[in-house]
Amino acid sequence: MSELDLHRLGIGTWQNDPTTCADSIATALETGYRHVDTAQDYDNEGAVGDGLAKADVPREELFLATKVNTDNLAYDDVLESTRESLEKLGTDYLDLLYVHWPMETYDPEETLAAFDELYDEGTIRHVGVSNFEPETLDTAREVLDAPVFANQVELHPFLQQTELREYAAEHDHRLVGYSPLARGDVLENEVLGDIAEKHDASPAQVALAWALGLENVSVVPKATSAAHIRDNWDAYDIALDDEDRERIAALDAGERRVDFPSAPWHN
């Protein structure tokens, strides 16, 4: 597996309770995952750090990402909260740091200047944004000195994010999909179930295999149990054909599982 492939399927930690999160992370790393995704807002960075410490994987083999919460996006708060995240995670650098949402205390000039400072000093290896639309991406790219490495957004067969995928390909950054199983709704879909039966797989594996076959796309499905962590990992082994992909493409209805009136796409 190439380094690019290695980071295409990550382990997400949203709503992974601190009491189970450390074991989940250790299991994921033992299974083969190397991309670990968390956030200040998830309130489990300490547990993620415990899981990283439990697993016998050198730090340089890991791709570790977290996100700065919306109330920490003032310049000094970005710097201070990132130091706190590093301490909780038990590391002295991050492979990727995201702006979690372009909302509340987010100000492109002030927020992104702090990200540039962290990048220049080597505290973060890459700058990311999350839940950004093309217009906010344009502004971020203009303001930042560092390149935008990734935009993390909701992505699954019912919300295929064609415009943002095209934007990512044009501007050479990754689109990282959260909720790639549509909060479990892929498990009930007849089309995905039919394709899963054809490949002797689960609907979740089919949804992940579809996403992993997209250009410039990574996904970070949340999984807590060892069975689900390994089931998701086995999506790498599924080879969807053109007919499968056409059927999945027809499922795109622009349906979000994460939505609220002040979300960036409503502005």
Side-chain angles (χ1 to χ4, degrees):
M1 186 181 295
S2 70
E3 182 177 359
L4 180 63
D5 287 335
L6 186 66
H7 296 161
R8 296 198 70 185
L9 179 59
I11 183 73
T13 60
W14 176 76
Q15 285 193 338
N16 193 337
D17 188 280
T19 61
T20 60
C21 188
D23 287 341
S24 298
I25 294 300
T27 298
L29 296 181
E30 289 160 5
T31 300
Y33 292 77
R34 293 297 180 266
H35 176 177
V36 178
D37 182 86
T38 186
Q40 294 173 358
D41 189 50
Y42 299 169
D43 198 27
N44 61 11
E45 288 176 318
V48 170
D50 291 341
L52 298 176
K54 286 178 67 174
D56 187 23
V57 178
R59 173 66 182 91
E60 61 270 18
E61 293 183 13
L62 299 176
F63 190 92
L64 179 58
T66 194
K67 310 174 195 73
V68 180
N69 199 13
T70 53
D71 58 4
N72 289 331
L73 292 171
Y75 180 89
D76 288 339
D77 292 338
V78 170
L79 300 180
E80 182 180 352
S81 68
T82 300
R83 311 288 181 209
E84 292 171 356
S85 291
L86 291 169
E87 185 174 350
K88 291 174 183 176
L89 290 164
T91 184
D92 57 4
Y93 71 94
L94 294 164
D95 296 282
L96 177 58
L97 183 67
Y98 293 98
V99 175
H100 203 157
W101 293 86
M103 297 167 50
E104 298 184 21
T105 61
Y106 177 69
D107 174 84
E109 297 284 349
E110 185 175 351
T111 302
L112 299 178
F115 274 67
D116 271 329
E117 180 172 332
L118 292 167
Y119 178 83
D120 289 341
E121 70 187 26
T123 300
I124 63 175
R125 301 286 175 88
H126 299 291
V127 171
V129 296
S130 184
N131 300 298
F132 276 47
E133 294 290 290
E135 211 171 278
T136 42
L137 280 163
D138 287 341
T139 300
R141 291 177 56 250
E142 290 170 4
V143 170
L144 278 165
D145 292 329
V148 172
F149 179 81
N151 181 23
Q152 185 172 141
V153 298
E154 182 181 350
L155 180 141
H156 45 70
F158 315 121
L159 181 67
Q160 298 185 16
Q161 298 284 20
T162 302
E163 182 181 18
L164 289 175
R165 287 194 283 118
E166 291 173 351
Y167 190 106
E170 179 183 354
H171 296 287
D172 195 29
H173 65 249
R174 302 304 296 268
L175 200 70
V176 179
Y178 67 76
S179 297
L181 306 182
R183 301 287 173 87
D185 289 347
V186 300
L187 305 178
E188 308 301 326
N189 184 266
E190 290 185 8
V191 171
L192 296 173
D194 187 44
I195 295 170
E197 186 175 352
K198 170 182 170 181
H199 291 276
D200 192 24
S202 68
Q205 289 171 331
V206 168
L208 294 175
W210 164 78
L212 292 171
L214 299 173
E215 182 181 6
N216 277 38
V217 168
S218 299
V219 286
V220 286
K222 170 209 169 184
T224 56
S225 73
H228 285 159
I229 289 168
R230 291 166 185 147
D231 187 70
N232 290 348
W233 183 254
D234 288 341
Y236 272 125
D237 298 331
I238 298 170
L240 300 178
D241 59 32
D242 291 342
E243 179 186 3
D244 298 330
R245 291 195 165 275
E246 288 173 6
R247 295 181 70 191
I248 296 172
L251 297 176
D252 189 11
E255 297 175 354
R256 296 182 182 275
R257 283 11 181 212
V258 179
D259 200 8
F260 47 93
S262 59
W265 42 86
H266 293 307
N267 300 325

